Amino acid sequence: MIKAKLRKKILKLRDELSSHDRETEDALIHDAVMNVIRDRAVDTVLIYVSFRTEVDTHGIIDTCINSGIRVAVPRVEQREIVFYYIDSQSDLERGYMGIPEPTEGCVPVSAGSCSSLIIAPGSVFDRNGNRIGYGGGYYDRFISRNPDIYSIGLAYSCQIVDSIPEDEWDRPLDMVITGEAIYQ
């Protein structure tokens, strides 16, 4: 119940951000993410496609594709997410809960076949990499099964809190990037 209340409160703050503040932080987050990708010599990025008022990932997706970095986005299949390579954002269609997902012709990522990192969505983050998602547990399960993949969360500054109550199934991220700070 504490997580649900915190999620609701922080999502309201995120939804109320001005377009100017959102665009400013999106640009700073984009640059920070691209620096991490270059520094880690990543050849594949597993990334969510932003929806509603989430930190914008469309620019990151385009920059990666244009830089020759492979991009894979998730599709919900039963109770799991499976990542599929895309060549452009035209490979996306409306999917689970209206969230853009890869079309049927996209190729799935095979585990362990690339030097990758995952960029996970969330509603609330703390400075220790803990996150509250949207309640489905998809990313926690994926990260649990793939502990060697470097994990990053993207958040607006208003989504950072001092601490988040942790459950045994929660998996902290390696890094959280906002427009104001990077937490590792």
Side-chain angles (χ1 to χ4, degrees):
M1 188 58 146
I2 292 171
K3 282 186 175 183
K5 285 183 179 180
L6 186 55
R7 179 187 299 120
K8 184 176 180 178
K9 174 185 171 184
I10 298 300
L11 288 178
K12 184 177 185 313
L13 290 174
R14 187 182 79 183
D15 291 346
E16 292 171 348
L17 279 174
S18 71
S19 59
H20 176 265
D21 289 344
R22 189 179 311 282
E23 290 169 10
T24 300
E25 282 207 62
D26 284 340
L28 294 167
I29 292 166
H30 173 279
D31 291 347
V33 168
M34 295 314 300
N35 286 335
V36 171
I37 290 169
R38 279 189 282 278
D39 291 348
R40 296 187 66 81
V42 170
D43 62 22
T44 302
V45 174
L46 311 178
I47 186 171
Y48 71 96
V49 181
S50 54
F51 185 63
R52 296 190 180 128
T53 60
E54 291 177 322
V55 169
D56 181 55
T57 60
H58 296 275
I60 296 167
I61 290 168
D62 287 342
T63 300
C64 287
I65 290 171
N66 293 334
S67 301
I69 298 165
R70 298 202 69 187
V71 172
V73 299
R75 180 186 305 146
V76 173
E77 296 179 358
Q78 287 130 22
R79 295 275 306 142
E80 303 298 330
I81 51 174
V82 177
F83 284 86
Y84 289 83
Y85 292 112
I86 61 169
D87 295 321
S88 75
Q89 292 193 55
S90 64
D91 290 338
L92 301 173
E93 63 186 6
R94 188 178 166 98
Y96 176 75
M97 304 287 287
I99 300 167
E101 293 185 342
T103 57
E104 286 299 319
C106 296
V107 176
V109 174
S110 56
S113 65
C114 54
S115 169
S116 59
L117 66 80
I118 183 169
I119 298 176
S123 57
V124 186
F125 299 85
D126 70 17
R127 291 167 179 83
N128 297 315
N130 296 304
R131 65 182 271 283
I132 298 175
Y134 298 102
Y138 297 104
Y139 282 83
D140 288 319
R141 287 191 296 277
F142 184 88
I143 291 168
S144 288
R145 286 191 319 274
N146 299 278
D148 295 334
I149 296 179
Y150 194 78
S151 57
I152 298 175
L154 306 181
Y156 294 114
S157 300
C158 67
Q159 292 177 262
I160 301 295
V161 298
D162 290 333
S163 67
I164 291 174
E166 296 176 55
D167 292 313
E168 69 226 29
W169 56 83
D170 291 335
R171 295 295 171 256
L173 303 172
D174 295 306
M175 177 184 286
V176 177
I177 298 174
T178 74
E180 294 178 359
I182 295 176
Y183 305 101
Q184 296 188 54

